[in-house]
Amino acid sequence: MGIEVAETAAVRTTAGGTAVVLEEGQAPYRDQVTAWPEPQTEAERIAFWERAAARLEWNEPWHTAHSATPVDTEARRGPELRWFDGGRLNAAVNCADRHVAAGLGDKVALHFEGEPGDRRTVTYRELQELVSQAANALLALGIGKGDRVVIYLPVLVETIVITLACARIGAVHSLVFGGFSAEALKFRVEDTRAKLLVTTDGQYRRGTAVPVKANADEAVSGENAIEHVLVINRTGHTDINWVEGRDVWWHDVVESQPRVHQAEAFDAETPLFIMYTSGTTGQPKGLVHTTGGYLTQASFSHSYLFSNPDPDTRADDVHWCTADLAWVTAHTYEIYGPLSNGVSQVIYEGVPNAPHPGRHFEVIQRYGVTSYYTAPTLVRSLMGWFPDGIPAEYNLSSIRLAGTVGEAVNPEAWRWLRAQVGRDSLVAGDPSSGIPMVDTWWQSETGATVLSPRQTDASFKPGCATRALPGLATDIVDDGGARVGAEQQGNIVVTKTGPSMARTVWGNPERYFSSYWEKYAAQGWFLAGDGARFDADDDTWILGRTDDVINISGHRLSTIEIESALVSHPAVVEAGVCPTYDAKTGHAATAFVVPLDKSLIGAEGAAAAALTAEQAAAVAALREHVATQIGPIAKPRDVVFVPDVPKTRSGKIMRRLLTQLFEGTTLGDTTSLQNEPCIAEIQAICQPR
């Protein structure tokens, strides 16, 4: 049998017979997951995840906690992973209704801040009503269980509402970053065979109302299954193109619906969303995540990483994950994780430097943010905007914890984040003082955090992801599968995956096999595609994508290590390092540097022309700095000063594009970039017309 799901039960029993003890009437609001013992055996690991699942509200218990078929190399098929078979639940109910039923209807769910300065507070009761209203609207538009809905919106209350409304009726949602091109959106609309596209007339970006509807129109102009385009009137662009019968306004279709909806429970393995992630080659991959397992790990890991370990003060938690809602980080730590735990959180529509670079600190001060979870690239930008530190006028005393996500954080950026955003926790003369830092490593594929320091750790290492979270296991191995020694680079693999692991690639199960499982099929390990190393304490350091490794005369160097050395120089805001061809050494390190002094940025064809005296002096200083930090072998052969480096929406630097831009070869896919316009600027610097 699975768990007993009586709402008042204080003790529930897992399938393995393990007692799950939760405080009566309080779970999951007062549970202390940081105090749970870490599982040591496989049976304990399965029981551990059953205990985590028991934090959710299930309409029917599961009969089988976990099953998996092995990787099949002949059939070129990945493992068939299943969690909580037989169990039935509703993700939206777990994120809203159950909190209202527990007496938390008046608690703030969302503090929304728009870029123009408009604000809105949504309680859990209102969230339940808004999601119910949107669910009724989806049904009225002919959307039902299994239908796909593409959501092309900025960070708005409505974005979360329509996402949860899809989950409420069993539709599969796929969120697309509002800054993506029409081409990127068109691929996702066509690949999912979506029946509905949800978008806006426009969105606010850096103080300007940018039109969006035209991109949506272009995206649905080809062969697709779109029946309706649901449009939110965000910026007042009423003169947009309108296709009668296809296009409908949110305020007409959604806001006219009743705010009551009887939710249905769905099987645990029911698809919840499709998350597209860029591949090194080929089209983006649509990763399929299912309901019960994903929600279990999202909810548990959010509480484990971010909730105050002291339940008596947890009601004061205000979480802020700064990611765009279309990124998997936001799915897990801005939508499903926090809301399933009944947490108050901030969502912010705009860019961090509009109308001024201190906007994030204003937001922290206004809402009393306690946990600040952001990308290393943003931290590096903040460092450049505030070279003398965050001004004392901002009250950041509410901050209790900070975290990073997206790619390995440079130690210099890690130290700045802890010392500046967490400055009120520093004690003079005590180098171990400061806020807890959760430097998380995970991927769209894993669905939730895999490696991270614990917020309860006694000490922290700048830039180190440390070790696997409870219920998971990783290793660092060579190409043959043998564990590497300390300070040796290898491939990080997930040897024990969690319930939130993606089940397949939408429409292409063979790609799921070839991308992640083929290399270590005999062991059944998931290949993450990142390089990593153990230190002397057996802690894990992430070194970036394995295809970003630079091999200089047989020396394998991590691009992130060279970038970290560069950004530790006070004249550098950000840096991207890539391998480029060298006839003598095989590869050379080429550095694209965003300088603090903008006059150093090259003009058209500057990379191929003679450097100015100022540029030459800056290049020499940076090369020597890297040689001092790492060694002469790591000195970049070329340093190119640029206004920005290309990044995905998760903040990862697209180093393969830098190589292609420098060498003048055909560019790969750029549709997943958050700052696509910088490509033309870098191209002009590197390749004279």
Side-chain angles (χ1 to χ4, degrees), residues 17-77:
T18 306
V20 178
V21 182
L22 299 172
E23 294 186 42
E24 185 170 350
Q26 297 297 316
Y29 317 109
R30 293 183 57 83
D31 58 345
Q32 293 178 275
V33 297
T34 54
W36 290 6
E38 298 199 14
Q40 303 301 315
T41 67
E42 181 62 9
E44 290 175 352
R45 191 177 79 88
I46 302 303
F48 176 90
W49 286 120
E50 289 195 89
R51 182 177 187 180
R55 300 175 69 253
L56 303 175
E57 179 179 298
W58 294 78
N59 294 67
E60 296 180 23
W62 57 85
H63 55 69
T64 304
H66 176 52
S67 64
T69 61
V71 178
D72 189 334
T73 55
E74 290 189 8
R76 298 188 63 75
R77 177 186 54 73

